[in-house]
Amino acid sequence: MTATVLTITSGKGGVGKTTAVANIGVALASTGQKVVCVDSDIGLRNLDVVMGLENRIVYDLVDVVEGRCRLRQAMIHDKRVPELYLIPAAQTRDKSAVSPSDMVRLCNELRPECDWVLIDSPAGIERGFYNAIAGADKIIVMTNPEISAVRDADRVIGIVEAEEKGSPVLIINRLNSAMVKRGDMISVDDVLDLLAIKLLGIVPEDENVIVASNKGTPLALDGKTKAGQAFQNIARRLMGEEVPFLDLESQGLWQRLLGRK
Amino acid sequence: MSFIDRMIGRKKSAGSAKERLQLVLIHDRTDLTPAELEALKDDLIEAISRHVDIDSAAVRISVAQDGRSQRLVADIPLRSASRRRSR
Ligand SMILES: Nc1ncnc2c1ncn2[C@@H]1O[C@H](COP(=O)(O)OP(=O)(O)OP(=O)(O)O)[C@@H](O)[C@H]1O
Ligand SMILES: [Mg+2]
C-alpha cells in the first residue's frame, strides 16, 4: 500500500473542514479502502467528536511526534467500517508542539500502512496550517459560497501554489440552491470563475450535518441524505471515478419520480 | 434574476458579491492598490512620452484575470505623426 495524503484546508474557519474529513474518511473506508484521519488542529481538537470516537482516546498526535507511543497505539479504530482510523490532536498543547518536518515524517510512516491519509487542517495561515500541508500529496481547499470564505480560499490557494504543492482542488460546502436561484448566493460557476481551480465536489446546506455531528455518526455512513451523498460522490471521484455533480438546483421528489427534468 | 428585478434595475446581492470579489482578489493577488495602479500609470505615461507622442488623457490601465494569473493591460493611444506636424 502507498497512501495518498490529502489535506483539507480553508483559510477561513468554520467552513466545514472537520465535517468533510470525517465524512470523506467514512465514505472511502465504506468501499473497503484503508483510511487514517489525522486531526492536526492541536489545541482545538474536534474530529474526535464529529466522528464519535472521543471516549476512546488514549494517545494523540503529539504523543506520537514526541515518541511517547508508537504510531499504531495512537490510531483509534472506528469499528463501524472495516478500516477507518483516527489519530486525534492533542487538546492541551499548542500548534508549536509539532513542526512541518514532524508531519512529513508522520506521513511517510503512514504511507505504507494504508490507502488514504486525510489531514484535518486548522483554520488560518499560520504554523498549524503549514504543519497540515507539509506532508500532503494533494491539497483540498474548502469554501462556502460567501464573500469572505471565497476571498480567504483564494489566499490559501496562492500559498499552496507558492509552496509548490501543486494546484489544489475545491469543495464548495453549504450551497443553498434556493438562495442561488433567487440571486442571493454566489453560484458554483461564479466561485469557479473567481478561484480558477478544479472542482472536486459540491455539498449542499443540510440540517442533517448538525444532527449527525450531535450523534457522532458521520452522514456518509449511509447515503440517504443529500450531504451524505455528496461526500460519497467526492470519495468516488478521489478514487478516480467520473461522477456527475449533484444537480442541486434540481426538481423536487415528485418531478424526479415522474421522471421529469 | 427575476423579470421584475430586471425591469426596475435592482441588482441581486450575489451579483455585487461577485463583482466585489473580482476586484478584491486582483488586489490580494498582486498587492497592487488602486492608488499604486494610478502611480504606475503616471510613470508609464512619462516614460512612453519620451519616445512617442501619446494621448495621455485616454490611457487606460487595468489588471486582467487569466485563470489564476494576472496580467497588466495597458491601452495607450498614440497621436498620429501627421497631426503632430500640422500643429
Ligand atoms: N453542509 C452543511 N450543512 C449544514 N451545516 C454544516 C454543513 N457543513 C458544516 N456544517 C456545520 O458548520 C459548522 C462548522 O463545521 P466544521 O466544524 O466542520 O468546520 P471547520 O472548517 O472544521 O471549522 P474550524 O475552522 O473551526 O476547524 C458545524 O456546526 C457543522 O455542523
Ligand atoms: Mg475543524
Side-chain angles (χ1 to χ4, degrees):
Chain A
M1 274 185 253
T2 307
T4 304
V5 181
L6 300 174
T7 296
I8 305 200
T9 191
S10 65
K12 189 172 183 334
V15 299
K17 297 176 293 294
T18 302
T19 305
V21 167
N23 280 287
I24 297 170
V26 162
L28 284 169
S30 306
T31 71
Q33 302 274 294
K34 183 170 177 182
V35 183
V36 179
C37 299
V38 180
D39 189 347
S40 78
D41 200 348
I42 297 164
L44 289 170
R45 91 172 161 216
N46 268 326
L47 188 56
D48 56 336
V49 287
V50 173
M51 292 177 79
L53 299 173
E54 70 275 16
N55 291 327
R56 304 202 17 228
I57 297 177
V58 181
Y59 296 109
D60 58 47
L61 180 61
V62 176
D63 292 323
V64 177
V65 164
E66 294 181 348
R68 270 186 299 280
C69 69
R70 280 175 298 112
L71 185 57
R72 289 285 181 89
Q73 293 176 291
M75 288 167 48
I76 304 165
H77 184 199
D78 184 336
K79 301 192 179 89
R80 292 166 295 196
V81 273
E83 297 256 48
L84 178 62
Y85 299 85
L86 165 69
I87 300 180
Q91 184 67 319
T92 54
R93 299 290 294 272
D94 64 64
K95 280 15 180 204
S96 64
V98 172
S99 71
S101 56
D102 291 331
M103 290 301 289
V104 171
R105 219 173 308 121
L106 178 88
C107 292
N108 288 340
E109 214 178 315
L110 283 169
R111 263 191 200 92
E113 301 287 324
C114 57
D115 300 299
W116 299 93
V117 177
L118 302 181
I119 300 175
D120 184 10
S121 161
I125 47 174
E126 287 86 38
R127 174 67 170 262
F129 159 77
Y130 283 95
N131 283 341
I133 66 167
D137 300 312
K138 186 125 195 104
I139 315 281
I140 299 175
V141 171
M142 182 163 233
T143 193
N144 297 153
E146 179 265 319
I147 197 158
S148 50
V150 172
R151 181 192 198 175
D152 291 359
D154 190 72
R155 270 287 273 155
V156 163
I157 295 165
I159 297 174
V160 168
E161 287 178 341
E163 291 285 306
E164 306 198 327
K165 284 278 170 195
S167 185
V169 290
L170 186 72
I171 298 179
I172 301 174
N173 186 28
R174 308 195 74 159
L175 189 84
N176 180 328
S177 47
M179 286 188 74
V180 173
K181 229 184 232 168
R182 62 168 196 262
D184 279 328
M185 182 175 272
I186 325 174
S187 69
V188 170
D189 286 343
D190 287 345
V191 176
L192 292 177
D193 247 16
L194 290 160
L195 297 181
I197 60 169
K198 199 165 159 269
L199 183 64
L200 176 64
I202 308 162
V203 183
E205 172 77 28
D206 187 343
E207 288 182 359
N208 292 305
V209 171
I210 293 172
V211 177
S213 63
N214 285 344
K215 296 194 282 195
T217 54
L219 282 179
L221 278 170
D222 68 60
K224 293 200 185 76
T225 60
K226 279 202 165 178
Q229 209 185 324
F231 283 119
Q232 287 179 345
N233 288 349
I234 288 170
R236 287 164 61 199
R237 286 186 203 111
L238 286 172
M239 290 189 297
E241 230 179 286
E242 290 268 347
V243 187
F245 292 101
L246 279 186
D247 183 10
L248 298 167
E249 249 100 287
S250 80
Q251 340 114 23
L253 178 66
W254 284 112
Q255 282 161 308
R256 250 182 297 155
L257 286 177
L258 295 169
R260 282 196 204 132
K261 284 268 158 168
Chain B
M1 211 191 287
S2 78
F3 180 67
I4 294 180
D5 289 326
R6 266 197 307 263
M7 286 291 294
I8 62 176
R10 182 165 59 195
K11 198 159 99 208
K12 286 307 189 106
S13 69
S16 11
K18 190 181 180 187
E19 273 172 28
R20 291 171 59 219
L21 267 168
Q22 271 164 336
L23 293 176
V24 162
L25 293 191
I26 284 172
H27 297 139
D28 285 357
R29 288 175 187 175
T30 58
D31 236 351
L32 264 181
T33 63
E36 282 165 333
L37 208 56
E38 266 317 293
L40 190 153
K41 183 168 125 183
D42 292 342
D43 286 354
L44 208 58
I45 289 173
E46 197 190 300
I48 293 174
S49 300
R50 271 187 254 126
H51 303 277
V52 279
D53 196 10
I54 62 176
D55 179 1
S56 55
V59 170
R60 295 278 170 275
I61 185 155
S62 60
V63 180
Q65 197 187 333
D66 175 17
R68 286 202 57 79
S69 47
Q70 329 293 314
R71 56 189 73 229
L72 195 62
V73 181
D75 181 4
I76 304 165
L78 302 177
R79 284 223 172 89
S80 74
S82 55
R83 231 174 64 203
R84 216 178 346 160
R85 244 177 275 122
S86 67
R87 253 194 323 204

Short mmCIF file of all heavy atoms in Angstrom, two decimals, chain A residues 85-114:
data_model
loop_
_atom_site.label_atom_id
_atom_site.label_comp_id
_atom_site.label_asym_id
_atom_site.label_seq_id
_atom_site.Cartn_x
_atom_site.Cartn_y
_atom_site.Cartn_z
N TYR A 85 -9.39 4.73 10.73
CA TYR A 85 -8.66 5.05 11.96
C TYR A 85 -8.58 6.55 12.16
O TYR A 85 -8.57 7.32 11.20
CB TYR A 85 -7.24 4.47 11.90
CG TYR A 85 -7.23 2.97 11.76
CD1 TYR A 85 -7.34 2.38 10.51
CD2 TYR A 85 -7.16 2.16 12.89
CE1 TYR A 85 -7.36 0.99 10.37
CE2 TYR A 85 -7.18 0.77 12.76
CZ TYR A 85 -7.29 0.20 11.50
OH TYR A 85 -7.32 -1.16 11.38
N LEU A 86 -8.51 6.95 13.41
CA LEU A 86 -8.33 8.36 13.74
C LEU A 86 -7.09 8.55 14.61
O LEU A 86 -6.92 7.85 15.62
CB LEU A 86 -9.55 8.89 14.51
CG LEU A 86 -9.36 10.25 15.23
CD1 LEU A 86 -9.24 11.38 14.23
CD2 LEU A 86 -10.51 10.52 16.20
N ILE A 87 -6.25 9.49 14.22
CA ILE A 87 -5.19 9.95 15.13
C ILE A 87 -5.64 11.32 15.63
O ILE A 87 -5.67 12.29 14.87
CB ILE A 87 -3.82 10.05 14.43
CG1 ILE A 87 -3.41 8.68 13.89
CG2 ILE A 87 -2.76 10.60 15.40
CD1 ILE A 87 -2.06 8.67 13.18
N PRO A 88 -6.04 11.42 16.90
CA PRO A 88 -6.58 12.68 17.41
C PRO A 88 -5.50 13.72 17.66
O PRO A 88 -4.32 13.38 17.82
CB PRO A 88 -7.26 12.27 18.72
CG PRO A 88 -6.57 11.04 19.15
CD PRO A 88 -6.05 10.35 17.92
N ALA A 89 -5.91 14.98 17.69
CA ALA A 89 -4.99 16.05 18.05
C ALA A 89 -4.84 16.09 19.57
O ALA A 89 -5.70 15.58 20.29
CB ALA A 89 -5.54 17.38 17.55
N ALA A 90 -3.76 16.69 20.04
CA ALA A 90 -3.62 16.92 21.48
C ALA A 90 -4.49 18.12 21.83
O ALA A 90 -4.59 19.06 21.05
CB ALA A 90 -2.17 17.22 21.83
N GLN A 91 -5.14 18.07 22.98
CA GLN A 91 -6.03 19.16 23.33
C GLN A 91 -5.35 20.20 24.22
O GLN A 91 -5.72 21.36 24.20
CB GLN A 91 -7.29 18.58 24.01
CG GLN A 91 -8.36 19.60 24.35
CD GLN A 91 -9.00 20.23 23.10
OE1 GLN A 91 -8.34 20.55 22.12
NE2 GLN A 91 -10.30 20.42 23.15
N THR A 92 -4.35 19.76 24.99
CA THR A 92 -3.77 20.67 25.98
C THR A 92 -2.41 21.21 25.57
O THR A 92 -1.64 21.68 26.39
CB THR A 92 -3.61 19.94 27.33
OG1 THR A 92 -2.86 18.76 27.10
CG2 THR A 92 -4.96 19.57 27.91
N ARG A 93 -2.13 21.16 24.27
CA ARG A 93 -0.87 21.71 23.79
C ARG A 93 -1.18 22.76 22.76
O ARG A 93 -2.34 23.01 22.46
CB ARG A 93 -0.03 20.59 23.16
CG ARG A 93 0.33 19.48 24.15
CD ARG A 93 1.33 19.96 25.18
NE ARG A 93 2.61 20.25 24.56
CZ ARG A 93 3.57 19.35 24.38
NH1 ARG A 93 3.40 18.09 24.76
NH2 ARG A 93 4.71 19.69 23.82
N ASP A 94 -0.15 23.40 22.18
CA ASP A 94 -0.44 24.33 21.10
C ASP A 94 0.29 23.92 19.83
O ASP A 94 1.04 22.95 19.84
CB ASP A 94 -0.12 25.77 21.51
CG ASP A 94 1.36 25.98 21.77
OD1 ASP A 94 2.14 25.82 20.81
OD2 ASP A 94 1.71 26.25 22.93
N LYS A 95 0.02 24.68 18.77
CA LYS A 95 0.50 24.33 17.43
C LYS A 95 2.01 24.11 17.38
O LYS A 95 2.51 23.36 16.55
CB LYS A 95 0.16 25.45 16.46
CG LYS A 95 -1.21 25.62 15.83
CD LYS A 95 -2.36 24.95 16.31
CE LYS A 95 -3.66 25.20 15.61
NZ LYS A 95 -4.84 24.97 16.41
N SER A 96 2.76 24.78 18.26
CA SER A 96 4.22 24.71 18.19
C SER A 96 4.75 23.37 18.70
O SER A 96 5.94 23.09 18.59
CB SER A 96 4.84 25.86 18.98
OG SER A 96 4.51 25.72 20.35
N ALA A 97 3.87 22.52 19.25
CA ALA A 97 4.32 21.20 19.71
C ALA A 97 4.69 20.30 18.53
O ALA A 97 5.33 19.26 18.71
CB ALA A 97 3.22 20.54 20.55
N VAL A 98 4.27 20.68 17.32
CA VAL A 98 4.55 19.89 16.13
C VAL A 98 5.18 20.81 15.08
O VAL A 98 4.82 21.97 14.98
CB VAL A 98 3.23 19.27 15.58
CG1 VAL A 98 3.45 18.60 14.24
CG2 VAL A 98 2.64 18.29 16.58
N SER A 99 6.14 20.27 14.31
CA SER A 99 6.75 21.06 13.25
C SER A 99 6.40 20.46 11.89
O SER A 99 5.99 19.29 11.82
CB SER A 99 8.27 21.07 13.41
OG SER A 99 8.77 19.78 13.09
N PRO A 100 6.55 21.24 10.82
CA PRO A 100 6.29 20.67 9.50
C PRO A 100 7.11 19.40 9.23
O PRO A 100 6.58 18.45 8.65
CB PRO A 100 6.69 21.81 8.55
CG PRO A 100 6.41 23.05 9.34
CD PRO A 100 6.78 22.71 10.75
N SER A 101 8.35 19.35 9.69
CA SER A 101 9.13 18.13 9.41
C SER A 101 8.62 16.94 10.22
O SER A 101 8.70 15.79 9.76
CB SER A 101 10.62 18.36 9.63
OG SER A 101 10.86 18.82 10.94
N ASP A 102 8.06 17.18 11.41
CA ASP A 102 7.39 16.09 12.14
C ASP A 102 6.25 15.51 11.32
O ASP A 102 6.04 14.30 11.27
CB ASP A 102 6.78 16.60 13.47
CG ASP A 102 7.83 17.00 14.49
OD1 ASP A 102 8.93 16.41 14.47
OD2 ASP A 102 7.53 17.89 15.31
N MET A 103 5.49 16.42 10.68
CA MET A 103 4.34 15.97 9.90
C MET A 103 4.78 15.20 8.67
O MET A 103 4.16 14.21 8.28
CB MET A 103 3.46 17.16 9.50
CG MET A 103 2.71 17.81 10.65
SD MET A 103 1.60 16.67 11.53
CE MET A 103 0.30 16.44 10.32
N VAL A 104 5.87 15.66 8.03
CA VAL A 104 6.39 14.93 6.88
C VAL A 104 6.79 13.52 7.31
O VAL A 104 6.45 12.53 6.64
CB VAL A 104 7.60 15.68 6.26
CG1 VAL A 104 8.29 14.83 5.21
CG2 VAL A 104 7.15 17.01 5.67
N ARG A 105 7.45 13.42 8.45
CA ARG A 105 7.88 12.11 8.95
C ARG A 105 6.67 11.22 9.25
O ARG A 105 6.63 10.05 8.89
CB ARG A 105 8.73 12.29 10.21
CG ARG A 105 9.92 11.34 10.28
CD ARG A 105 10.85 11.63 11.44
NE ARG A 105 11.28 13.01 11.51
CZ ARG A 105 11.07 13.82 12.55
NH1 ARG A 105 10.44 13.40 13.62
NH2 ARG A 105 11.51 15.07 12.53
N LEU A 106 5.66 11.80 9.91
CA LEU A 106 4.44 11.05 10.23
C LEU A 106 3.77 10.52 8.95
O LEU A 106 3.39 9.34 8.88
CB LEU A 106 3.46 11.95 10.99
CG LEU A 106 2.13 11.30 11.35
CD1 LEU A 106 2.24 10.58 12.68
CD2 LEU A 106 1.00 12.31 11.39
N CYS A 107 3.66 11.38 7.95
CA CYS A 107 3.01 10.96 6.69
C CYS A 107 3.81 9.84 6.02
O CYS A 107 3.23 8.90 5.50
CB CYS A 107 2.86 12.16 5.75
SG CYS A 107 1.68 13.37 6.37
N ASN A 108 5.14 9.97 6.05
CA ASN A 108 5.97 8.92 5.45
C ASN A 108 5.80 7.60 6.17
O ASN A 108 5.85 6.53 5.56
CB ASN A 108 7.43 9.34 5.43
CG ASN A 108 7.69 10.42 4.40
OD1 ASN A 108 6.89 10.58 3.46
ND2 ASN A 108 8.76 11.15 4.56
N GLU A 109 5.58 7.68 7.48
CA GLU A 109 5.39 6.46 8.26
C GLU A 109 4.01 5.85 7.98
O GLU A 109 3.86 4.62 8.00
CB GLU A 109 5.53 6.79 9.75
CG GLU A 109 6.15 5.67 10.57
CD GLU A 109 6.31 6.06 12.04
OE1 GLU A 109 6.77 7.20 12.30
OE2 GLU A 109 5.95 5.24 12.89
N LEU A 110 3.04 6.71 7.71
CA LEU A 110 1.67 6.22 7.46
C LEU A 110 1.49 5.66 6.04
O LEU A 110 0.71 4.74 5.83
CB LEU A 110 0.65 7.34 7.68
CG LEU A 110 0.31 7.67 9.13
CD1 LEU A 110 -0.51 8.97 9.19
CD2 LEU A 110 -0.47 6.52 9.78
N ARG A 111 2.24 6.21 5.09
CA ARG A 111 2.03 5.86 3.68
C ARG A 111 2.01 4.35 3.40
O ARG A 111 1.09 3.88 2.74
CB ARG A 111 3.05 6.55 2.78
CG ARG A 111 2.50 7.80 2.16
CD ARG A 111 3.38 8.36 1.06
NE ARG A 111 3.00 9.76 0.89
CZ ARG A 111 3.59 10.77 1.52
NH1 ARG A 111 4.62 10.53 2.29
NH2 ARG A 111 3.16 11.99 1.36
N PRO A 112 2.97 3.59 3.90
CA PRO A 112 2.92 2.15 3.59
C PRO A 112 1.81 1.40 4.33
O PRO A 112 1.53 0.25 4.01
CB PRO A 112 4.30 1.64 4.02
CG PRO A 112 4.91 2.71 4.84
CD PRO A 112 4.18 3.98 4.60
N GLU A 113 1.17 2.06 5.30
CA GLU A 113 0.19 1.39 6.16
C GLU A 113 -1.23 1.43 5.63
O GLU A 113 -2.09 0.72 6.14
CB GLU A 113 0.18 2.06 7.54
CG GLU A 113 1.49 2.07 8.28
CD GLU A 113 1.83 0.68 8.81
OE1 GLU A 113 0.88 -0.02 9.22
OE2 GLU A 113 3.01 0.33 8.79
N CYS A 114 -1.53 2.31 4.69
CA CYS A 114 -2.95 2.50 4.32
C CYS A 114 -3.08 3.01 2.88
O CYS A 114 -2.10 3.19 2.19
CB CYS A 114 -3.61 3.46 5.30
SG CYS A 114 -2.80 5.06 5.40
#
